[in-house]
Each structure stands twice: as structure tokens, then as C-alpha cells.
Amino acid sequence: MEDPIPLRERHVDTKAASTSHTQVQDNQGLGRVGKKQILKRRFGFLSILGFSCTILASWEGILSTGGPAGTVYSFLVVWLGTFSTFLTLSELVSMAPTSGGQYHWVSMMSPASCQKYLSFLTGWLIVIGWLGAFTSTCYLSASQIQGLVVLNHSTYVPTAWQTVLLFWAILAFAVFVNAVASTWLPKFEGFVLILHIVGFFAIIIPLLYLGSHNDASEVFGTFRNDGGFQSEGLAFMVGMTGAMFSFTGADAAVHMSEEIHNAERVVPQSILTSVVINGLLGFGMVLSTLFTMTDVDTALATPTGYPYMQVFCSATSSVGGCTVMSAIVPILVTATAVGSLASSSRMVWSFARDRGLPGWRLLSRVNAQAVPQWSILVVTVAAVLLALIILGSAAVLNDVVSLCVSALYTSYLISATLLIWKRCTGGIRDPAVAAVDSVLVNTAGAPLAWGPFHIRGVLGILVNAFTIAYLTVGVFFSFWPTVASPTASTMNWAVVGTAGTSLLSTGYYVLWGGKEYTGPVVEIDRD
């Protein structure tokens, strides 16, 4: 007997039913932490993996940090510390996959006496940290483009106002993808993932094949102390900030959680996979650059401002080949700016939704495509204004980089410290047990329950403890200048930005914010 329902139609119906079931599960999962589904879930595993990989952009970032190509050992230490941090954040996002990320986790784990304030402060640190990340990414791409011009036209002298205009052009592209072509963002991130990997091999193959090579003893046994610090050990610790910046952005996918299918499982998978991929690519780029940088002083003195361009030129003996290889980096950094705007705008939207920002009623709105256009606008305007600092400060990049590291690392540190405290005191239970006690879990005043991703036993405690130690060191040295005797222009002013943000947000909290902000708002009925 002939089947009355064609096979193709049955396949479509099955797929639609599966999609509908997934949507119901996503909505129920978000509802368990007190939130309603507002944004649209457009990201799957591969697209959010591309998002995470390009936000981290470790091999591009390690080239952009300057210095004598970094060091093998600092990269390995930072890679290990970052992986430990990712494991800790994965446990937390699996428990509460919301766009708020760290400030939501701090709220759900803090003692009642300081729950509101700690969450509020963490939220502001994330906002300023991601604004710094977005700004520094646009600045990096703009200055690298100017470096390419210098590479091809030796008489060209870069000016600050030209940097600002390039900065704004890159920012405009990021706004276009996020606000105008927003439905294409997942596809864009998937494409950039391919470019991220292909671009790595497009650089590393000609670099190793054509370039002269240093001895292994020179690569692994030579240390430099160009900052004039008292010891090479201290110089090593200060120099780690550059490697830390190349791995900054661990929480990028976290703030996109409410736009990811099956976020409590997919987000941990994507961010852990991204740190492995980026670590391998970044380590390969570090080794390749160190082995082919045969003249360190010439590379550091390059008029382009970026030693990697001189290394490429020395290896290829061709301006054209060097230009093609070097151009891959600002292209990918520009793509990173697109993801940085997406993540920072979602963070602003989420914090506004929970009444943590002035003008929260406007900033928490979304358009017909479920895109937080007002939050995108605020982040954009803030970045446009920050770009003007370039006109008066040649050291803006180092300060913004350090601010980004210090603010975001501090938010990770607060979250990790509270997590280890809760798990050591037995405050986090099996999800099935918690579900019996309350409809809500993992929000302020509700039971805490582990998510699908959970490192059990003593190993989980050790991972959290190592994360805290690494983040403490990272925050401490992110405030240090790059030279032992800094001037006003070479001083690291990140401590001013981080402390200033903390003081201003505290004042705002005392005067007004504390009356509006009570922690992440529970948007569903508790009964």
C-alpha cells in the first residue's frame, strides 16, 4: 500500500517537530533561572564556535601585542590559566545560561548581605571591560591598516586623526553587521571561523618555508628585559599581559547565551573547543615568529609599528608577499570587532533589563528582529567618543588593553571565588533534587543546582582554585606599566579606569541605583 504522506513531507514535519521541541526546552531552561525568551536563538554549535574563536583571535592577538614576539613560556602559562578559567566559566554558564553572565552568577551565589552590591559592581566591570575590548579591537585594526600603508609607502607618516577615521570606519562595519544584517550574524561568524583557520596556514607556511631560522637554544633559552625591570622574572610576569589580552574574551559566548540553541550544553562545548583551537594556533604562531625573527632589534624598530610585518618582509624578501600576509591580520581583527560589538551590546541590554544602567527602560528594548538596537547604539556612541582620546594620547592602546584585562579578569575572579565557596560548603545540589524544592533555580533566593557541565569532586575544586590564583596574578600585573621607570605617556592608567569605574558605580548605587537594582529580575511567576 502506498504511503499517503510523501517521504519529503514526513522529513520536514519531523524536523519542524524537533525544532519546536528544542525551542520549548530552551524556553523552559531560561524560565528556570527566572527569565523570559526575548531574543531569537539563531546560533548553533558551529556558528557560536566561530564567534568564540574569532573573539579570542589568539594567533592574531599574539602578533599584535608587539615586543620580541612574546615568549614561549608566558604563552603556555596563559594558555593553561585561560583553559582553567574557561572550565570554571563553563560550569557557571551551564548552571545559568543568561546574557548577564558573571553578574547573574554573582547574584545567585553571594551572601544576602552583599548580593545586590556585588552583582551591581560586577555588572559595571563587565560593561566597561567589554567596551574596552571593543574599542581596543577597532584601534588595533585601524593602526594595523596604517602599518600596511607605511609598508608600501615609506614616505607616509601616520597621523592620529587618520587613525580615528579608520577606527570609525571599522566601527561602522561592525554596526552594519550587527544592526542592519543582524540575521546574517551566525553565518558571518561561521565564515570567519574558516578564514581564521585558513589565514593561519596562509601565513605560517610561507613564513617557515621562506624565512631564515634561529637555533632552538635561542628560541627557548633567551630572555629579554627591555623594560628595565629589576629581574627577568618580574619582566616575564609584566610581559604576560600581552598574552592575556590575546586570550581575553572568555565570556563572549556567555553573553550570547539567550541566542544559542541548547545553550547550557553548547556554550561550554564551544568555549572549551575555542580555547583548544586558539591555543594551538597561537602557540604555532609564537614558535614560527620566534624561529624566523632573526633580527629582533630591526623588527622592533620597524616604522610600521608592528614587528610581525618586518618579520614577514624579512622572510619573503617581497613587499607584495609581505603585504598579503600582513593584510590577513587586520581583516580578522575587524571581524573580531563585529563579535565584540555583539557581545558588549548584549551585556548592556541584559544589565539594562535588570535595571542596572541609567535609562534601562530604553536600553532594554529590542526591535522586530529581536535585536537590542538601543544597546548597540549606546556602545557605538561610547566607542566613537573613546576614539577621540587617540588624538591626545599615543599610549592609548596599552591602557585600553590593560583596562580590558583588569576589568574582565576581576569579574571572572569574583565569580570563581564565590563558586568555590559554594561548592566547598555544599551549597550547590543535584538539579533533580533542587527541582523538587523550587520551580526556580540558580537565581537570587532560589536553590543552586549544577548544570549538565560539571567537574565533580576534588578535581573541580582544584580547577577553581587554580583559576582564582591565575586570575589574581593577571589582575595584579594588568596594572603594571611596560617599563620600570614610566613617564606620563608610558604609564599604565588602567588602574584609574578600573578603580574609577568601581567608585562611580558605587556612588551611583548608593545614590540611586540601589533603589532600582535588586539583582537579576525574575520575570516569571515563582509559583
Side-chain angles (χ1 to χ4, degrees), residues 20-233:
S20 177
H21 178 66
T22 301
Q23 290 175 343
V24 170
Q25 285 186 320
D26 289 334
N27 293 344
Q28 289 176 343
L30 192 58
R32 293 199 71 200
V33 294
K35 295 298 182 183
K36 294 180 179 179
Q37 184 67 53
I38 297 176
L39 305 179
K40 291 184 179 180
R41 296 184 185 268
R42 299 186 175 99
F43 286 84
F45 174 73
L46 285 178
S47 55
I48 201 61
L49 175 63
F51 184 89
S52 298
C53 282
T54 53
I55 285 288
L56 287 179
S58 296
W59 71 259
E60 299 94 333
I62 206 67
L63 287 175
S64 304
T65 53
T71 75
V72 174
Y73 305 108
S74 67
F75 186 91
L76 290 175
V77 170
V78 171
W79 188 10
L80 178 61
T82 302
F83 188 70
S84 176
T85 302
F86 273 49
L87 285 171
T88 299
L89 296 186
S90 292
E91 288 188 297
L92 289 165
V93 73
S94 187
M95 292 172 64
T98 72
S99 297
Q102 298 94 297
Y103 81 82
H104 183 110
W105 307 333
V106 169
S107 176
M108 75 185 190
M109 294 186 295
S110 295
S113 59
C114 58
Q115 173 259 329
K116 287 202 309 178
Y117 173 70
L118 268 184
S119 175
F120 186 82
L121 176 61
T122 303
W124 273 93
L125 286 172
I126 308 169
V127 169
I128 196 67
W130 269 107
L131 181 57
F134 179 50
T135 303
S136 60
T137 302
C138 292
Y139 179 80
L140 269 175
S141 184
S143 60
Q144 286 168 347
I145 291 171
Q146 286 185 304
L148 286 172
V149 178
V150 172
L151 184 64
N152 288 271
H153 302 279
S154 58
T155 57
Y156 169 69
V157 179
T159 60
W161 67 267
Q162 292 169 334
T163 307
V164 172
L165 292 180
L166 284 170
F167 181 109
W168 288 344
I170 293 161
L171 187 148
F173 175 74
V175 172
F176 173 80
V177 176
N178 275 274
V180 180
S182 56
T183 57
W184 288 85
L185 183 59
K187 294 182 176 63
F188 175 84
E189 296 296 344
F191 170 75
V192 174
L193 173 61
I194 298 173
L195 188 60
H196 175 66
I197 297 174
V198 172
F200 169 80
F201 288 104
I203 289 176
I204 200 172
I205 292 174
L207 181 63
L208 291 177
Y209 182 75
L210 299 173
S212 301
H213 297 162
N214 292 316
D215 294 332
S217 59
E218 185 175 351
V219 172
F220 295 103
T222 302
F223 291 86
R224 293 175 65 95
N225 184 3
D226 296 327
F229 291 99
Q230 295 177 346
S231 66
E232 290 182 351

Side-chain angles (χ1 to χ4, degrees), residues 354-434:
D354 291 323
R355 305 178 183 181
L357 293 173
W360 59 266
R361 289 182 177 84
L362 182 65
L363 295 178
S364 59
R365 294 179 184 176
V366 299
N367 62 16
Q369 287 75 41
V371 175
Q373 77 277 22
W374 289 106
S375 294
I376 292 174
L377 177 62
V378 166
V379 173
T380 300
V381 171
V384 166
L385 296 177
L386 282 174
L388 297 176
I389 300 176
I390 298 171
L391 298 175
S393 173
V396 64
L397 177 60
N398 287 333
D399 294 341
V400 173
V401 166
S402 297
L403 174 62
C404 172
V405 171
S406 62
L408 290 180
Y409 269 42
T410 301
S411 72
Y412 305 158
L413 179 58
I414 296 172
S415 303
T417 303
L418 289 171
L419 176 62
I420 197 172
W421 171 61
K422 279 295 183 180
R423 80 187 304 161
C424 288
T425 56
I428 309 177
R429 296 180 288 177
D430 181 87
V433 175

